[in-house]
Amino acid sequence: MHTESPILQVENLHTHFITKAGIVKAVDGVDFDIKPGETLGIVGESGSGKSMTAMSIMGLIPSPPGKIVEGEIRFKGENLLTKTKKQMRNIRGKEISMVFQDPMTSLNPVFTIEKQLIETILAHESFSKNQARSRALELLHLVGIPDPKKRLKNYPHEFSGGMRQRVMIAIALACNPSVLIADEPTTALDVTIQAQILELFKKMQNELNMAIIMITHDLGVVAEVCDRVMVMYAGKPVEYTETNHLFDQGKHPYTLGLMNSIPTINKQKKKLEAIDGVPPDLRSLPKGCSFAPRCKHVMEACLHIDPTLTEVNDHHFVRCLLYEETNSEKVVSP
Amino acid sequence: MSTLLEVTNLKKHFPLKDSKLFSREKPVLKAVDGISFSIQSGETLGLVGESGCGKSTAGRSILKLINPTEGDIYFKGENISHYRGEKLRKLRKDMQLIFQDPYASLNPRKTIAQTITEPMKIFQLSKEEQYKKLERLLDVVGLRSYHKDRYPHEFSGGQRQRIGIARSLALDPELVICDEPVSALDVSIQAQVINLMEDLQEEFNLTYIFIAHDLSVVHHISDRVAVMYLGEIVEIAEANELYQDPKHPYTQALLSAVPEANPHLEKQRIILKGDLPSPANPPSGCKFHTRCPFAEEICRQEKPELKQVSSNGQMAACHFVREVVS
């Protein structure tokens, strides 16, 4: 389906935060790539490092205390980590853009939507003001805001949550980016509006052949829109495969735990299988596998050996000792 | 089973400030506009709808945290809608609330023991009883005894929600209104809290009103579900019936919009156009007609009544659903 070469490659990314209480390894060895027109889902709970992965790509890690200590982020073959601030500014918002979770706080309340759209357009394109204005109108039309001409002159508080998220998407799409990172874009929205927005993403992707990185905690959203998924836990990817594979033959105990712990809309009254315990404190991760203290299949070895991401099937990677044993030559000794 | 709570024609209108000078008509926001339902003892009623549909206001009006504008609330057969002062205070013992935000609903300067025993102090339980009860409550919600001298910031979100639940159970209430109790929690923790709530319901024979926007969670926990739209109940039925055979177009759209964790499912999705209209200025006739794919002239003019639409008590308010007389 996607035969082109990847547009964005992340290799062995480590983003750490140096705090008084110790080093927080927010992102601790993340690898993935994404091709044009493809949607990659990053799933995880709060603190799993999914948003920090996105911020690292955008070059928006606050430094200090944050620092990308290792790894490469290659966009169209060039390493973004060696770019200067000015070069990054040209890429950010133009080539790679981002939609944030909270449409209520990510727009500036004292400027009209038109002003905020035009600001983005003029920052990256050599348009005249008039050209920028008509582009802004076109964008609002594109994301399905009724009566766009009148709405351009409105302030953010005059829009509902769903409409604001559309405006955010319009701003993100202003310069036809090749990669769009959407960080929990529908979490703050009602389901009927979520359905509208997800539909909009699909339509935009078809039209512009964008690569989308969809960060979410909702496996339903993943099943709906993603081609491939990476499940993250405590800063590390624990499973990485095609969406269908994940749902049909997901392997990592954490992935399976997540799937069993969500109530489905069709079946009722089976006790939910909760995952015991809480996610670990990133400042003092347990030795061995970070998921071991909550894992149902925990073995003696899990407490000492941190498993590596192993390919168990074609393009299906799992980080778990249960699956490393099958090809024992790959087991790493502590 | 006996009826624990009955609500008839409950209304809560909030006056709006920006009325025109000298104008006689005072604009109001009809947050809850005439809802009626009853709950059996030991039952869970789910209340779902989009934000702004009045589900939280309904919950608060029943608890009389805000005074309803109109309508009657019968709790164990007694009309409590005019209770004030001491009488109301005594009643509060039997009705409790679990809040959405476990970060904001606990006092950061009080230890867990102080938080949980506060209601007991107000109702003058002896020190010994308080202590015994505290230990028991910590145990049933899955916390340890040594937690009691800690402060809220030392706990995770899921644990804090457990503390909130323990507090709400401190006076052995019969009715617990849960206002989005799990929506602020991570998925893996959500399941823990839902399971806990189900266990507690069995153990203490609690009756829940479960207010949430997550339709899957509501389906899981509820016996019956009421769907609200702009302050009105548009459909109410047994949970399984409602989810398998929704009659009202809004319920159908709402259910079809929920993304399911199954990539092979080809879902016929009804995508509603537009947003929820402002409750300050609701549409005429059927309030849903502006977004309804089947709306016709009659919907614009006449307001449909909630009527029985299946032989086992499913009720819906739509002109185009046939009435069934049982």
Side-chain angles (χ1 to χ4, degrees):
Chain A
M1 196 162 105
H2 307 286
T3 46
E4 297 158 81
S5 58
I7 181 145
L8 183 76
Q9 289 165 290
V10 173
E11 257 171 46
N12 196 24
L13 180 71
H14 292 259
T15 306
H16 293 181
F17 284 78
I18 294 118
T19 68
K20 274 186 196 153
I23 296 174
V24 176
K25 295 178 178 171
V27 181
D28 199 17
V30 167
D31 291 85
F32 67 82
D33 54 45
I34 182 166
K35 293 172 182 137
E38 192 183 32
T39 304
L40 173 76
I42 302 185
V43 191
E45 298 179 89
S46 33
S48 61
K50 54 195 197 306
S51 291
M52 282 306 141
T53 304
M55 296 300 243
S56 305
I57 297 168
M58 293 294 283
L60 289 174
I61 294 290
S63 172
K67 198 166 186 252
I68 297 178
V69 290
E70 215 186 314
E72 260 185 40
I73 299 169
R74 278 198 305 276
F75 174 71
K76 293 185 177 167
E78 287 175 61
N79 188 358
L80 292 183
L81 298 180
T82 57
K83 300 269 182 207
T84 61
K85 273 189 177 167
K86 200 174 166 212
Q87 285 170 319
M88 265 320 281
R89 236 190 334 259
N90 285 331
I91 292 170
R92 196 190 303 135
K94 180 175 164 67
E95 303 274 9
I96 308 177
S97 62
M98 188 156 172
V99 178
F100 296 89
Q101 168 170 4
D102 192 351
M104 304 296 166
T105 54
S106 32
L107 289 167
N108 190 332
V110 301
F111 292 115
T112 60
I113 296 306
E114 178 173 38
K115 194 138 196 185
Q116 301 187 47
L117 270 163
I118 288 179
E119 186 190 6
T120 312
I121 298 165
L122 290 182
H124 295 293
E125 314 271 357
S126 49
F127 278 4
S128 74
K129 264 220 152 137
N130 270 330
Q131 279 172 313
R133 202 166 287 141
S134 56
R135 171 75 181 144
L137 187 68
E138 192 185 310
L139 283 165
L140 279 201
H141 188 75
L142 192 74
V143 295
I145 289 182
D147 200 3
K149 212 163 193 167
K150 203 178 110 202
R151 294 298 251 167
L152 267 180
K153 307 284 180 207
N154 287 10
Y155 289 88
H157 75 267
E158 296 172 87
F159 289 82
S160 65
M163 283 296 160
R164 265 182 251 197
Q165 198 58 296
R166 282 170 195 265
V167 173
M168 286 305 298
I169 295 170
I171 293 177
L173 297 179
C175 304
N176 297 329
S178 355
V179 178
L180 178 71
I181 303 177
D183 189 357
E184 303 263 11
T186 57
T187 308
L189 306 174
D190 283 310
V191 273
T192 57
I193 311 297
Q194 167 169 294
Q196 292 174 358
I197 299 288
L198 292 181
E199 199 71 8
L200 176 65
F201 271 120
K202 276 189 205 161
K203 193 182 125 208
M204 295 293 108
Q205 184 170 41
N206 282 341
E207 272 169 37
L208 307 169
N209 200 29
M210 279 183 303
I212 298 181
I213 300 178
M214 181 69 77
I215 297 173
T216 179
H217 67 272
D218 187 337
L219 286 170
V221 172
V222 169
E224 196 89 352
V225 296
C226 298
D227 300 310
R228 283 186 300 141
V229 203
M230 180 167 77
V231 183
M232 285 186 74
Y233 187 80
K236 296 189 178 97
V238 293
E239 189 153 8
Y240 177 41
T241 182
E242 276 161 33
T243 305
N244 289 346
H245 273 264
L246 188 85
F247 285 92
D248 296 343
Q249 34 190 314
K251 292 219 163 21
H252 196 281
Y254 177 63
T255 313
L256 299 174
L258 271 189
M259 286 189 198
N260 289 329
S261 69
I262 50 169
T264 54
I265 204 149
N266 289 320
K267 284 175 274 167
Q268 207 199 5
K269 290 294 174 207
K270 206 176 62 184
K271 190 125 179 146
L272 296 178
E273 290 174 40
I275 306 176
D276 290 336
V278 289
D281 184 344
L282 292 176
R283 287 167 305 196
S284 52
L285 284 175
K287 215 176 154 234
C289 171
S290 327
F291 187 60
R294 304 177 74 187
C295 184
K296 275 186 192 165
H297 308 284
V298 63
M299 305 174 288
E300 183 56 34
C302 303
L303 303 174
H304 311 297
I305 307 167
D306 193 10
T308 48
L309 207 59
T310 312
E311 189 161 11
V312 290
N313 245 328
D314 263 4
H315 306 294
H316 187 162
F317 297 86
V318 181
R319 182 191 296 274
C320 181
L321 285 184
L322 283 176
Y323 301 99
E324 267 182 50
E325 279 182 336
T326 47
N327 31 0
S328 51
E329 70 277 7
K330 280 192 186 171
V331 175
V332 273
S333 46
Chain B
M1 267 202 287
S2 58
T3 304
L4 183 74
L5 180 84
E6 192 172 355
V7 175
T8 52
N9 197 26
L10 182 74
K11 289 186 182 173
K12 178 65 198 175
H13 295 177
F14 294 104
L16 289 173
K17 286 236 171 65
D18 51 335
S19 56
K20 284 202 184 85
L21 196 60
F22 303 126
S23 128
R24 286 236 188 102
E25 237 176 87
K26 285 220 175 96
V28 288
L29 188 148
K30 297 178 180 171
V32 176
D33 201 18
I35 61 171
S36 308
F37 59 85
S38 64
I39 305 173
Q40 307 296 311
S41 171
E43 189 185 35
T44 302
L45 175 78
L47 217 51
V48 293
E50 294 174 273
S51 37
C53 72
K55 53 193 195 300
S56 288
T57 308
R60 271 149 211 264
S61 308
I62 293 164
L63 277 174
K64 289 183 56 70
L65 285 175
I66 46 179
N67 276 320
T69 313
E70 222 185 292
D72 294 315
I73 304 161
Y74 295 89
F75 185 69
K76 292 201 272 189
E78 214 158 315
N79 191 344
I80 61 162
S81 50
H82 304 296
Y83 275 25
R84 295 274 185 283
E86 187 59 22
K87 249 182 154 178
L88 180 63
R89 208 175 66 87
K90 288 244 167 74
L91 179 79
R92 288 268 161 78
K93 211 163 116 2
D94 296 327
M95 303 167 124
Q96 288 290 331
L97 185 63
I98 299 173
F99 296 94
Q100 167 170 14
D101 188 344
Y103 292 87
S105 58
L106 298 176
N107 187 335
R109 304 183 61 170
K110 282 194 171 152
T111 63
I112 299 321
Q114 285 171 325
T115 295
I116 297 177
T117 54
E118 195 180 9
M120 305 182 204
K121 277 189 193 124
I122 294 170
F123 282 89
Q124 290 163 351
L125 268 68
S126 71
K127 273 264 154 68
E128 252 167 77
E129 258 180 288
Q130 288 184 20
Y131 182 76
K132 252 166 69 191
K133 228 169 178 184
L134 171 67
E135 294 284 327
R136 167 105 210 278
L137 284 169
L138 285 176
D139 184 49
V140 294
V141 300
L143 294 169
R144 300 281 165 76
S145 177
Y146 60 77
H147 284 136
K148 65 177 184 286
D149 295 321
R150 296 196 179 165
Y151 289 89
H153 73 267
E154 298 173 69
F155 294 92
S156 66
Q159 284 176 315
R160 280 183 220 213
Q161 202 56 300
R162 288 168 191 269
I163 297 163
I165 293 173
R167 174 179 58 186
S168 71
L169 297 181
L171 296 168
D172 304 313
E174 294 185 45
L175 176 69
V176 181
I177 296 185
C178 321
D179 194 355
E180 303 267 13
V182 296
S183 58
L185 306 176
D186 267 318
V187 197
S188 73
I189 309 298
Q190 232 180 45
Q192 293 175 4
V193 173
I194 292 172
N195 284 343
L196 172 69
M197 290 181 63
E198 286 181 326
D199 292 343
L200 292 174
Q201 178 166 41
E202 214 162 286
E203 194 168 344
F204 298 101
N205 190 31
L206 298 171
T207 307
Y208 287 140
I209 295 182
F210 196 96
I211 300 169
H213 68 278
D214 186 327
L215 292 145
S216 323
V217 169
V218 169
H219 185 201
H220 179 80
I221 202 165
S222 307
D223 301 306
R224 277 190 310 140
V225 177
V227 182
M228 286 186 71
Y229 189 76
L230 285 178
E232 289 169 1
I233 291 179
V234 295
E235 185 159 4
I236 181 165
E238 295 283 319
N240 280 326
E241 206 168 339
L242 186 97
Y243 279 79
Q244 269 152 33
D245 186 18
K247 302 278 196 217
H248 196 283
Y250 178 61
T251 317
Q252 289 168 358
L254 205 58
L255 291 178
S256 81
V258 177
E260 271 182 66
N262 179 358
H264 306 297
L265 215 66
E266 279 294 324
K267 225 172 166 182
Q268 269 305 338
R269 176 149 294 160
I270 309 165
I271 293 194
L272 290 179
K273 284 169 282 168
D275 290 319
L276 198 67
S278 159
N281 183 20
S284 62
C286 172
K287 287 183 178 174
F288 184 56
H289 84 248
T290 51
R291 299 170 79 192
C292 183
F294 313 108
E296 280 178 35
E297 195 49 39
I298 181 173
C299 305
R300 269 166 221 117
Q301 284 159 12
E302 246 177 80
K303 192 179 143 175
E305 291 298 319
L306 197 63
K307 62 192 175 196
Q308 187 160 332
V309 292
S310 87
S311 50
N312 24 1
Q314 188 168 11
M315 312 261 280
C318 177
H319 288 300
F320 296 105
V321 182
R322 223 156 39 103
E323 186 162 1
V324 175
V325 185
S326 59

